[in-house]
Amino acid sequence: LDVYAPTCDALAGGESRGAPAARDGRRTGSSYELSTPPRCGSAPARSACASSPVSPFTINSASSATLRPPPAAFQGRYCSLGWRPRTPQGLLVAQWRAHTGPATALAISRDHSVLASGGADGVVRLWPTAGLRREMVHSAAAAKALDGGQPVICLAAWGGTVGGAHRLAAGGRGGSLHLLEVGQGGISATSSTAPDGGPAVEGGSQDALLALSALELAVAGEALLVVADARGRIRGVDLRAPPGQRIAWDLRVDPHLGLPRCLAAHAAAPACWLAAGTTRGHCLLWDLRFAVRAASWCAAPGEAAVSSLLPVAGGRPGAAPMVLAGTSANEVRGFDLGNPDPPLCLRLGARDSPRTAESSSCESAAAAPAPAPQADGPGVGFGPARHRVSALVSPPDGSFVVSAGTDGYVRCWDPAAPEQSHVVAGPGADVPPVFQGTTVPSAGRGTPPVIELWEVVPQPSRRPTAAHHRAAAQRASEAVAHHPAVLDMVFTSVPHGMLATAAADGSIKVFV
């Protein structure tokens, strides 16, 4: 698997700020240097896309594929090695009402000491994680209402190093970027600007910020924000640059591919890449050293959208890494990044996910005009009304996957041992589900086989009795699950390994 050393100074930790831009599109003397992106249809772009497999991982042939270091953009999305959710069901250790409307987004600080939540009520709240398990009453350490009360769609956190302040960015429907700095005494500084650093302008839903990701730089406490909006733009925002000059690069998603709805970015050597999932079911991969799109593939069946992304290392020594894509068809798909046209190698299907063969409906839909955004909470919709995978958590080696969905379930998937897969939290059922796995041979030469794992609800062998109904009612009344939709999920290691989930009823629940 080919890997490349990054050439952008931004991710190597340059110190100077605010230098003037050179004519060739590079910011000379600053902390980043990205070439002017060629046109997607140009010969250099096609050549780069065909010959540049991009890997976010360092492959260690002596053991297994590993992340070195874990990307800061995925704080809270990777769990600690050796940790697993409690079986046969997760244990609820804390719950509280965090927002008056749906709790739409979660973020965790780098040291896992602060949990941030954003809601449709337009408020960002901070919760200390040290007392989540032992305290009975939970109160926010700090709160900040966004200007105009616009709903929070996405959050990103960085900083939190020793002696440094926690920093938080929030994106809402109006298109403004809200920056918060959190010190010992609470929120010490706030600002609301346009992504380029100009004055904040209250726009409509067409200007909404749909996804945020923070790439921590070598300079302590600094970050390069990746911002995706409802106009199909994905921009790198350098917060150290003067207002009006903060856009490091500007990538565009073709309208027929949909709108960027989730991001996965990595800035640690030897890789420098960005992946985006769209509302039309496509995944796009860019090489950020040259701002060139390196790959594009259909990641979701039919009209399903890509609702969450997470890269993990391959499970076998020397194996290529995967990117996990949660879809609005309520399934998780894994794609092998060791190929310029990433093939499907993993499929995790919930009980209501489609089990049809792969079709070309995604490609045919791409030729049609993109539909108008549909309402999905405070942000841009995911197409037809159906359950979707809203968040993913996994160890860096990808040995298992925890998914949260709008059906109210949190599931733990173990592709290597399907019998160890289980429901961490979910509405009570008369008959508990079982998980069945199979391996489908690959369709092409040189591509790995597809590992499939399905959740199945067995049919009761006899008509349920009154005792069965009472047992099901008791399980449902134990309040160990989100009965409404789960909209986000993060992992925290403070005080020990736990999963925090946010739901459409405004509550946050914590499981071990």
Side-chain angles (χ1 to χ4, degrees):
L1 185 65
D2 293 330
V3 293
Y4 301 90
T7 58
C8 45
D9 299 340
L11 311 170
E15 295 286 348
S16 59
R17 323 178 176 185
R23 292 183 179 178
D24 61 354
R26 303 173 181 230
R27 187 184 295 273
T28 58
S30 75
S31 61
Y32 62 85
E33 184 177 2
L34 293 173
S35 300
T36 303
R39 295 174 55 192
C40 294
S42 63
R46 289 195 301 268
S47 176
C49 294
S51 61
S52 300
V54 179
S55 169
F57 301 91
T58 298
I59 302 301
N60 182 357
S61 59
S63 56
S64 62
T66 58
L67 282 172
R68 195 179 65 209
F74 302 115
Q75 290 298 332
R77 306 301 178 184
Y78 289 128
C79 62
S80 305
L81 291 173
W83 176 87
R84 288 185 71 99
R86 180 178 177 269
T87 57
Q89 187 179 34
L91 176 64
L92 179 69
V93 297
Q95 62 175 331
W96 67 94
R97 185 70 178 270
H99 297 272
T100 57
T104 54
L106 295 175
I108 195 80
S109 63
R110 185 173 185 177
D111 60 1
H112 287 206
S113 64
V114 176
L115 173 68
S117 66
D121 55 4
V123 180
V124 176
R125 291 184 170 89
L126 307 179
W127 314 89
T129 59
L132 287 182
R133 183 163 187 175
R134 68 173 183 268
E135 295 178 357
M136 299 297 294
V137 178
H138 303 276
S139 58
K144 172 64 177 177
L146 303 189
D147 297 341
Q150 56 180 290
V152 178
I153 298 177
C154 47
L155 289 174
W158 69 98
T161 56
V162 177
H166 302 283
R167 298 187 178 183
L168 188 71
R173 178 179 292 177
S176 296
L177 187 62
H178 305 270
L179 305 175
L180 292 78
E181 185 168 328
V182 184
Q184 296 294 332
I187 298 176
S188 57
T190 62
S191 63
S192 298
T193 66
D196 62 358
V201 178
E202 286 300 323
S205 59
Q206 71 276 6
D207 298 308
L209 301 185
L210 304 182
L212 282 173
S213 186
L215 297 176
E216 294 201 16
L217 308 182
V219 181
E222 300 291 351
L224 184 73
L225 288 181
V226 185
V227 181
D229 62 28
R231 295 185 181 273
R233 298 175 297 186
I234 303 177
R235 293 179 285 181
V237 179
D238 188 352
L239 299 177
R240 299 166 297 168
Q245 302 180 24
R246 290 184 175 178
I247 302 301
W249 33 260
D250 190 340
L251 308 174
R252 301 299 176 105
V253 177
D254 296 336
H256 67 274
L257 298 180
L259 298 176
R261 198 57 178 83
C262 51
L263 299 172
H266 191 285
C272 183
W273 60 268
L274 168 70
T278 75
T279 56
R280 300 297 298 265
H282 288 267
C283 275
L284 311 174
L285 187 68
W286 281 275
D287 186 337
L288 292 183
R289 299 166 301 162
F290 312 109
V292 172
R293 196 168 74 188
S296 173
W297 68 97
C298 183
E303 298 180 357
V306 179
S307 51
S308 55
L309 287 175
L310 184 67
V312 295
R316 301 180 303 276
M322 288 193 303
V323 59
L324 300 175
T327 74
S328 63
N330 210 15
E331 67 177 5
V332 180
R333 295 183 161 210
F335 295 89
D336 186 351
L337 291 184
N339 192 305
D341 184 16
L344 178 69
C345 56
L346 178 67
R347 182 184 296 157
L348 311 175
R351 62 186 68 186
D352 60 346
S353 58
R355 302 194 184 188
T356 56
E358 293 297 314
S359 66
S360 60
S361 56
C362 184
E363 285 76 6
S364 61
Q374 301 180 15
D376 185 76
V380 171
F382 289 93
R386 62 183 72 179
H387 290 306
R388 61 181 171 87
V389 177
S390 55
L392 297 169
V393 168
S394 173
D397 61 3
S399 55
F400 65 90
V401 181
V402 180
S403 66
T406 56
D407 57 358
Y409 283 87
V410 177
R411 300 173 173 91
C412 179
W413 308 84
D414 191 332
E419 66 278 0
Q420 297 185 15
S421 303
H422 63 283
V423 173
V424 178
D430 290 340
V431 181
V434 297
F435 293 82
Q436 300 176 352
T438 185
T439 301
V440 180
S442 60
R445 178 180 299 179
T447 59
V450 180
I451 300 175
E452 294 187 349
L453 183 57
W454 300 98
E455 180 190 26
V456 180
V457 179
Q459 295 294 329
S461 56
R462 58 185 179 181
R463 186 176 181 179
T465 64
H468 287 95
H469 291 299
R470 286 195 298 270
Q474 181 179 359
R475 286 194 296 270
S477 65
E478 290 176 349
V480 298
H482 285 293
H483 292 283
V486 181
L487 302 181
D488 205 356
M489 175 179 62
V490 295
F491 172 84
T492 176
S493 59
V494 176
H496 49 75
M498 301 184 297
L499 291 171
T501 58
D505 63 352
S507 64
I508 295 178
K509 295 190 178 186
V510 181
F511 301 90
V512 296

